Amino acid sequence: MKNWISSDLHFWHRNVIKYCNRPYGSVEEMNEGIIENFNSVIAPDDNLYLLGDISFSSGKLAAEMLSRMNGNKHLIIGNHDAKIIKDLRFLEELSSFSYYKEKKIGGANVVMMHYPIHSWNRKHYGSIHLFGHLHGNPIDLGSGRYKDVGVDTNNMMPYNLDTLVEEMLKWDYKHKESHSHEETRNSIRGFGGHLRGSVKEIEFMMGEKNV
């Protein structure tokens, strides 16, 4: 059993083709291309961690997309998932879902969230932070091992999580912090606002399915 990871699939989102220069002529071609790419490497019994922003559609259409994809899907919820996570048909396609996940992979502590976090758990001890949301746009989180694993950063393919962790454990994580205190404060304020707006959703999710 292998572990895979990706983010920001954006099924049914026509404009993402233009915004992210995806190699497709239509949203239907994009949907089929992503599913084909993922199924070409992911086996039915593998684990697939999806770090949010699955589909710009109804829960029913999003569920149909996931039902055609191999692997046990573990969703870390993104900002564009608010609608589809309220549909039980979509939730039934998931093995787990949460807003945040930590997991041991290859002996490393891996912190997964849709958004990049400036100071993630055990950052200064070499833990790994994986996120999406940015579609490959650069970000400076200072020191540490971190990576945007969105589908736009890997030629529309998922990352082999086991291999990725093995490679990232070789990275130096002790270089000097480059974020200013003001940038850090602004990041915390922005993320805090998002959490305040999501409290009711979090309570709903915790009551619906084990994460």
Side-chain angles (χ1 to χ4, degrees), residues 4 12 47 68 90 104 122 135-136 152 180 197:
W4 302 85
W12 298 109
N47 289 311
R68 297 175 54 200
F90 176 73
K104 285 286 186 181
R122 300 187 66 79
H135 294 270
D152 296 292
S180 70

Side-chain angles (χ1 to χ4, degrees), residues 75-135:
L75 174 64
I76 288 77
I77 299 163
N79 55 301
H80 290 300
D81 298 320
K83 178 180 177 181
I84 60 177
I85 61 174
K86 296 175 182 177
D87 193 316
L88 289 178
R89 290 167 295 188
F90 176 73
L91 297 181
E92 287 171 354
E93 295 297 328
L94 303 174
S95 296
S96 72
F97 55 89
S98 61
Y99 281 89
Y100 175 94
K101 184 181 286 291
E102 290 191 29
K103 189 172 180 64
K104 285 286 186 181
I105 301 285
N109 186 60
V110 179
V111 175
M112 302 179 223
M113 194 167 181
H114 178 65
Y115 305 98
I117 307 169
H118 184 266
S119 185
W120 62 92
N121 188 31
R122 300 187 66 79
K123 169 181 179 176
H124 299 293
Y125 295 94
S127 69
I128 290 172
H129 176 32
L130 303 176
F131 54 87
H133 190 60
L134 301 180
H135 294 270

